[in-house]
Amino acid sequence: MDAQQRSYLVFLRFFSALLLVAALYFAQEVLVPLALSALLAFMINPLVKLLCRCRLPRAMSVVIVTMLVFTLMGCVFWMVGKELHHLANSLPNYRHNIQERVSTVRNASEGGTIARLRTMVADISTSALDVSAGRQKQVSTPAVQPPAAPDNAASAPQPAPPPVEGGMASKILNASLSFLANGLGVAAVVIVFVIFMLLRQEDISHRIVGLAGFSRLTTTTRAMDEIGGRISRYLLMLATVNSLYGLMLAIGLAFIGLPYVLLWGVLAALFRFIPYIGPWIVAVLPIGLSLAVFDGWTQPLMVAGLIIGLELLTNMVLEPLLYGHSVGVSDFALLVAITFWTWLWGGLGLVLATPLTVCIVVICKYIPSLAWVDVLMGEKQPPQAHLMAFRRLVAGDEDAFQSTIHDSIEKNGIEATLDEVVLPALVLTRREAMLGKLDEEEQNEVITTIQATSQYLRECQAEALDEGRKTKAAALLEKQEIQGQVETSDTTARTPDESTASEPVPPPIPVFGRALHGQVDVLALEMLEILLPAQIELQISADDRLVGELVEKLNHSRPALMIISAMRPGSIMAAETLCRRLHHKIPGLKMLVCRWGLPGQQATAKSLKDAGATWVATSLAEARDVIVQATDR
């Protein structure tokens, strides 16, 4: 694909994204009820499944759950509306307390720093106005006074104001009725959609699978299961946590003496569906009312302390206990998504932002061309030590690279450090060099550092093995002393090394390793040699000799196993060719092809095994296990 085609493809994708956003914006009257219905269906579905497990038919379960849920929601909203009506009527009664609060704050600022700053700003403003007025007075000319109006002009009849069509009360009433009718219509549509989504869940799932095609059957099924399971559990647990939060807040405010506790509890539970900012938005309302209702400062401080304490309790205890902090989306991505959906759909978009974003991230995770969305917006990615190590190698920060190695050794051990950090860094070095992003000098510097690190890990592994052998021998001697099988004089005269020196040492098992691409494959085989048992002798060859010479050497040494190190990229054809020729020349030869790659990268095993390879490995641990199994006597 040339540059022009890539530019055309990028423009096409950008234009498609703009069309999608425009469709979401202009079709919100249809899409918002559908999204809200899906949200409620996900939330109610676990309750329906619970009744179905109690041997009730699904249709009856759906009817019972939906009637209970929507009846409860209707009663709650009716009581909230009644509380709001009483609050609006009682607000004028608190005008005196509000004025006292304002005057108290104003008196506290008199004579202090705020007053001095205010005086300084006023003086500067007055000086600036005086200078401006003086300049205008010097430049301006006498203005021509307009002729005086005749005396009879004042007595002339004034035109009558235009008639007002309807009063303000009628306009407010019409707007309220229109808003109420629209809300009731949307609520009725949502209820109908929720019932049919719950009743036809299996049918909708089959239709989506059929639309995706049978070639994507497994992927579509996994995506739908993850979406349904994650969102249903998240929404149900979130509703439970929010309800508990609202209940505890209402009880606490009732003990403090704040009126309209039902209103504040319901608003707190609803606003907690908005991540991060929702609880603090609604917290302003009861704190502000406490300032207007109570005369002193004790009760307002108690209200603020109650809200902060409940928020900490909910975030640190209830949320981790019930569903955890994460919904599979990173914090920053979720804030961006909240902003986008709020701009697109308003207040309902604010509530629907989290479940919609979770759906998008899960779907994109199962689509290879959109996997970048999961990487960009998904939950915190686990740190990849090999990428960090390679970046520090390229930057020339050897101290930071060694720090990464030491941290990995302490956390995961020497074997995992070789397999998950050092070897993948070597693979990345070869890949970047082949792509032309590393010149020869930079490549040599990186390989030299990796080689020194490999030698250091070899010494660490040897020290660990020596310590292990000494500990094992000392334990054996101690056991013999306890059992009385040896005399005290012999025990004190012999050291652990002497006691183990008399054991027969088995002859080494020869294993031949062929490095296809010079120094990088030689380094990979040396790392593999570190993990091999002591009785296995690995002979590494990097000579670009002919196949006939290699066959002659193999026939002479008779190794138990032939290892071919083929580091990605650009090694599959060479490895297949060598396997095919060796299999033809030496039919009984066991061959292990090591297709070194990055963690999680799959190997092309079928073509190599068809060419004659006995095993194919992608990691040092996997190759070590194959070698031990193949050389087991």
Side-chain angles (χ1 to χ4, degrees):
M1 184 181 296
D2 55 10
Q4 185 177 2
Q5 291 178 339
R6 285 196 296 267
S7 301
Y8 176 75
L9 184 60
V10 170
F11 173 76
L12 184 61
R13 290 177 178 175
F14 178 73
F15 185 70
S16 301
L18 288 181
L19 286 180
L20 178 61
V21 173
L24 290 174
Y25 179 77
F26 290 106
Q28 58 180 307
E29 293 185 358
V30 177
L31 296 178
V32 169
L34 282 175
L36 189 59
S37 304
L39 171 65
L40 292 175
F42 277 124
M43 186 184 301
I44 297 174
N45 191 45
L47 301 178
V48 175
K49 289 183 178 180
L50 181 62
L51 292 182
C52 291
R53 283 195 291 266
C54 296
R55 304 299 178 87
L56 285 179
R58 184 171 182 85
M60 184 180 298
S61 303
V62 170
V63 172
I64 293 174
V65 172
T66 51
M67 286 183 61
L68 290 176
V69 170
F70 287 113
T71 302
L72 180 62
M73 291 175 61
C75 294
V76 169
F77 282 118
W78 177 78
M79 288 187 291
V80 168
K82 189 176 180 181
E83 293 268 291
L84 280 173
H85 177 71
H86 289 305
L87 176 61
N89 292 332
S90 61
L91 279 179
N93 301 329
Y94 308 128
R95 184 181 304 171
H96 178 69
N97 285 348
I98 296 174
Q99 291 175 353
E100 286 188 353
R101 298 286 184 187
V102 174
S103 61
T104 301
V105 174
R106 184 181 300 171
N107 294 333
S109 64
E110 294 294 336
T113 304
I114 299 176
R116 288 196 295 270
L117 290 175
R118 187 187 304 157
T119 304
M120 183 182 67
V121 172
D123 293 341
I124 294 174
S125 301
T126 305
S127 301
L129 290 175
D130 292 341
V131 172
S132 177
R135 290 179 180 176
Q136 290 181 1
K137 188 174 182 180
Q138 294 176 1
V139 179
S140 61
T141 57
V144 179
Q145 299 293 334
D151 296 338
N152 56 358
S155 60
Q158 299 294 331
V164 179
E165 297 181 0
M168 184 64 67
S170 62
K171 292 183 179 180
I172 296 175
L173 181 61
N174 292 332
S176 302
L177 291 176
S178 176
F179 177 77
L180 182 61
N182 188 21
L184 291 177
V186 172
V189 172
V190 167
I191 293 173
V192 172
F193 272 125
V194 168
I195 294 175
F196 274 92
M197 284 181 181
L198 292 174
L199 288 175
R200 305 296 182 186
Q201 181 184 7
E202 294 295 331
D203 181 63
I204 294 173
S205 301
H206 290 316
R207 291 178 185 272
I208 294 176
V209 171
L211 184 64
F214 290 99
S215 61
R216 301 183 181 90
L217 178 62
T218 303
T219 302
T220 308
T221 303
R222 289 177 179 174
M224 292 180 61
D225 289 343
E226 186 172 351
I227 290 173
R230 184 188 296 184
I231 296 180
S232 295
R233 183 175 183 274
Y234 166 72
L235 290 176
L236 185 60
M237 293 298 101
L238 182 61
T240 304
V241 170
N242 294 349
S243 301
L244 291 175
Y245 179 88
L247 179 62
M248 290 187 294
L249 180 63
I251 294 174
L253 294 178
F255 276 106
I256 295 174
L258 190 71
Y260 312 111
V261 293
L262 177 63
L263 174 63
W264 309 129
V266 173
L267 288 180
L270 292 177
F271 271 78
R272 279 192 59 84
F273 280 96
I274 305 171
Y276 307 118
I277 58 175
W280 303 109
I281 292 176
V282 75
V284 177
L285 300 177
I287 294 176
L289 183 64
S290 66
L291 292 173
V293 172
F294 302 111
D295 295 332
W297 291 93
T298 303
Q299 288 85 352
L301 291 177
M302 291 175 63
V303 172
L306 174 65
I307 294 175
I308 295 174
L310 286 178
E311 192 65 28
L312 293 176
L313 175 65
T314 305
N315 292 333
M316 296 182 180
V317 178
L318 293 180
E319 288 182 354
L321 183 63
L322 293 179
Y323 65 89
H325 288 284
S326 177
V327 294
V329 182
S330 67
D331 298 340
F332 179 75
L334 190 56
L335 289 175
V336 173
I338 289 171
T339 305
F340 172 77
W341 291 109
T342 304
W343 166 77
L344 197 66
W345 287 349
L348 285 177
L350 190 65
V351 177
L352 297 172
T354 300
L356 288 177
T357 306
V358 172
C359 291
I360 292 174
V361 170
V362 172
I363 291 173
C364 292
K365 184 173 70 173
Y366 289 96
I367 301 176
S369 60
L370 297 177
W372 59 271
V373 177
D374 180 54
V375 176
L376 188 63
M377 301 184 65
E379 59 186 344
K380 185 178 180 181
Q381 298 292 323
Q384 296 178 311
H386 65 280
L387 292 178
M388 187 183 303
F390 178 73
R391 288 174 56 191
R392 291 173 174 177
L393 283 173
V394 174
D397 193 351
E398 189 174 351
D399 294 336
F401 173 73
Q402 296 299 334
S403 176
T404 303
I405 297 298
H406 287 299
D407 293 341
S408 180
I409 292 174
E410 293 179 359
K411 184 178 180 181
N412 303 317
I414 297 175
E415 179 179 338
T417 301
L418 281 169
D419 217 352
E420 299 174 5
V421 181
V422 185
L423 180 62
L426 188 63
V427 175
L428 288 173
T429 303
R430 171 173 168 77
R431 188 188 71 177
E432 296 299 299
M434 291 192 64
L435 294 175
K437 298 179 181 179
L438 284 178
D439 56 27
E440 186 176 356
E441 182 179 358
E442 292 174 334
Q443 181 184 2
N444 291 334
E445 291 179 357
V446 172
I447 290 177
T448 301
T449 305
I450 293 177
Q451 190 173 14
T453 304
S454 176
Q455 184 62 31
Y456 170 74
L457 292 175
R458 180 189 295 272
E459 296 174 358
C460 293
Q461 181 76 350
E463 293 177 0
L465 291 176
D466 290 341
E467 291 292 334
R469 283 194 293 267
K470 291 180 180 179
T471 304
K472 183 178 179 181
L476 179 61
L477 288 177
E478 184 179 358
K479 182 178 179 181
Q480 290 176 351
E481 287 182 0
I482 294 174
Q483 293 177 352
Q485 296 178 358
V486 294
E487 297 179 357
T488 307
S489 58
D490 296 336
T491 304
T492 56
R494 291 193 302 171
T495 62
D497 293 335
E498 293 174 350
S499 65
T500 57
S502 60
E503 296 180 1
V505 178
I509 303 173
V511 174
F512 188 81
R514 176 65 181 271
L516 288 183
H517 298 293
Q519 192 175 7
V520 290
D521 278 315
V522 169
L523 263 176
L525 289 175
E526 290 177 353
M527 295 178 195
L528 176 61
E529 187 181 10
I530 297 174
L531 303 181
L532 293 178
Q535 67 270 19
I536 296 178
E537 182 181 355
L538 178 60
Q539 304 173 8
I540 301 175
S541 171
D543 299 335
D544 192 13
R545 62 181 67 190
L546 298 176
V547 178
E549 297 177 357
L550 180 60
V551 170
E552 183 179 354
K553 183 174 182 179
L554 291 174
N555 286 327
H556 180 265
S557 59
R558 292 292 180 178
L561 181 66
M562 170 72 178
I563 305 173
I564 301 174
S565 178
M567 186 169 292
R568 306 182 187 195
S571 59
I572 182 68
M573 294 299 297
E576 289 178 0
T577 302
L578 183 59
C579 287
R580 191 174 291 108
R581 292 182 179 180
L582 291 177
H583 180 69
H584 178 70
K585 298 289 184 181
I586 312 176
L589 181 64
K590 298 178 181 180
M591 288 182 287
L592 166 64
V593 179
C594 298
R595 287 278 291 153
W596 312 119
L598 300 177
Q601 195 172 13
Q602 298 296 326
T604 306
K606 185 177 185 303
S607 59
L608 289 170
K609 289 185 176 181
D610 292 342
T614 312
W615 302 279
V616 178
T618 59
S619 65
L620 294 174
E622 184 181 1
R624 187 267 316 278
D625 294 340
V626 170
I627 295 171
V628 172
Q629 178 184 359
T631 58
D632 187 13
R633 295 178 177 178

